[in-house]
Amino acid sequence: MEFYFVFEGLDFSTHYNELKEAINYEVLGKITELKALFANLSKDANKLAQRLALSSRSLKGLKDPRFRKAFNELKSAGLIKIEKSLETKPTPLFGEKLRREIRRHLISDKAHFSKNFYRFYFAFIAPKIEQISKFSAKDKEQFLSVLQLERFFCLPFELVCADFLSYKLGVMRPSISSYWDKDCEIDILVQSGSFCLAAEVKYKEHIVSKKLLNELVAKCEKVGIKPDFYALFSKSGFSGELINLAKKSPKLLLFELNDFKDIL
């Protein structure tokens, strides 16, 4: 799965056993060819792609002409796509005036890279492309030794979980997205007709406890969502308390990496 998180969208040899070995030969060892793939991007588009890959995927800056031009360039190149926000502004009652902070709040869509490799490239390679182009074997070894990917894997794992739910539930993929507003974020929200499922996703090296479920329930209550099911996804499994709770509650679904065999 981690090979997919990095290399989706790039043709590469699949004979590697270790991910960093593949990155060494297929990315660092072919940096000239990869650099050429994005050579036509403007400086602004390159900078924006790095920002979207490394930090906030928010598109709040689209009103700025320079930002919008760079964004449209990335979109036209097929590098990014938009995830629309599900947030709606509250409608004031007759004679009521919304608080200033609510009136000023801008609902913002988010950007997704169309392929995982594009995000990997602009997160880790593009910011250091000139140095990497001159790397010795020792430099490559050093680069790979400090390359931290666990946090990077969280988003592609979330998207794979959404694909998994689409497959398992027989729900069209556009009915599945994340939810965010200025105060709250839910990793996955499935809304199809009257059916609703809310889910949280963790790609960590430790088991998930009941705390995550409590947080998900609280988020749903805060935004007025009433799911038919709650789902938790974990790379490293679940606490005994959560497993026992799921056995007693048909509304709670727990999924681990072994459950993904059908779609990988």
Side-chain angles (χ1 to χ4, degrees):
M1 188 180 288
E2 291 183 351
F3 279 82
Y4 175 80
F5 293 166
V6 171
F7 287 106
E8 184 222 6
L10 181 73
D11 290 331
F12 75 106
S13 173
T14 58
H15 72 272
Y16 301 102
N17 294 318
E18 298 292 333
L19 178 60
K20 288 190 175 181
E21 179 190 13
I23 294 172
N24 184 30
Y25 287 102
E26 299 293 337
V27 179
L28 303 184
K30 299 180 180 180
I31 201 66
T32 302
E33 296 96 311
L34 295 178
K35 187 177 179 181
L37 291 177
F38 308 100
N40 292 330
L41 287 180
S42 68
K43 187 175 181 180
D44 284 347
N46 203 299
K47 283 186 175 180
L48 177 58
Q50 291 179 41
R51 198 208 81 181
L52 294 173
L54 288 166
S55 55
S56 171
R57 295 182 292 113
S58 171
L59 297 177
K60 281 185 179 179
L62 274 181
K63 287 189 176 181
D64 177 82
R66 189 172 174 181
F67 183 106
R68 185 167 61 249
K69 183 179 180 181
F71 170 79
N72 287 335
E73 184 180 345
L74 293 173
K75 190 178 177 185
S76 296
L79 297 179
I80 59 173
K81 54 189 177 180
I82 299 175
E83 181 179 8
K84 302 293 289 184
S85 173
L86 299 177
E87 181 184 7
T88 57
K89 276 196 173 181
T91 303
L93 300 174
F94 181 75
E96 179 188 20
K97 188 176 182 180
L98 295 176
R99 296 196 312 272
R100 184 181 183 186
E101 63 189 66
I102 296 177
R103 296 198 309 271
R104 290 191 168 189
H105 171 62
L106 296 176
I107 295 175
S108 172
D109 299 330
K110 290 187 177 182
H112 276 295
F113 283 87
S114 57
K115 300 294 181 182
N116 288 331
F117 179 74
Y118 300 156
R119 180 167 171 258
F120 174 83
Y121 178 87
F122 286 105
F124 298 107
I125 306 302
K128 299 181 178 180
I129 189 68
E130 297 308 322
Q131 300 98 302
I132 293 173
S133 299
K134 302 172 184 176
F135 269 2
S136 64
K138 187 174 182 180
D139 293 330
K140 293 177 183 178
E141 184 179 338
Q142 172 64 20
F143 176 85
L144 292 169
S145 70
V146 298
L147 185 62
Q148 298 296 320
L149 292 172
E150 185 178 73
R151 185 178 177 185
F152 173 83
F153 289 156
C154 293
L155 179 59
F157 184 51
E158 184 180 310
L159 297 175
V160 166
C161 291
D163 293 339
F164 173 86
L165 286 173
S166 175
Y167 171 80
K168 281 290 185 181
L169 299 174
V171 173
M172 296 295 288
R173 187 61 176 81
S175 299
I176 306 176
S177 65
S178 52
Y179 174 89
W180 64 91
D181 58 32
K182 64 185 182 67
D183 299 316
C184 179
E185 185 160 351
I186 297 171
D187 288 341
I188 299 175
L189 189 62
V190 182
Q191 293 180 306
S192 180
S194 61
F195 177 82
C196 180
L197 177 149
E200 288 289 301
V201 177
K202 292 296 178 185
Y203 198 83
K204 301 285 185 182
E205 294 293 344
H206 55 76
I207 63 172
V208 165
S209 70
K210 189 182 175 184
K211 179 183 177 183
L212 184 64
L213 174 62
N214 293 339
E215 291 173 351
L216 176 58
V217 171
K219 289 178 183 179
C220 291
E221 291 176 349
K222 185 173 183 178
V223 299
I225 295 171
K226 297 181 179 180
D228 300 291
F229 294 91
Y230 294 98
L232 301 179
F233 292 85
S234 173
K235 173 188 176 182
S236 303
F238 302 94
S239 67
E241 181 182 21
L242 257 183
I243 293 172
N244 290 332
L245 185 60
K247 290 177 181 178
K248 299 175 184 177
S249 173
K251 290 187 64 174
L252 175 60
L253 308 174
L254 304 180
F255 299 106
E256 302 179 51
L257 293 185
N258 287 338
D259 294 306
F260 289 80
K261 291 178 181 178
D262 290 343
I263 68 167
L264 294 178

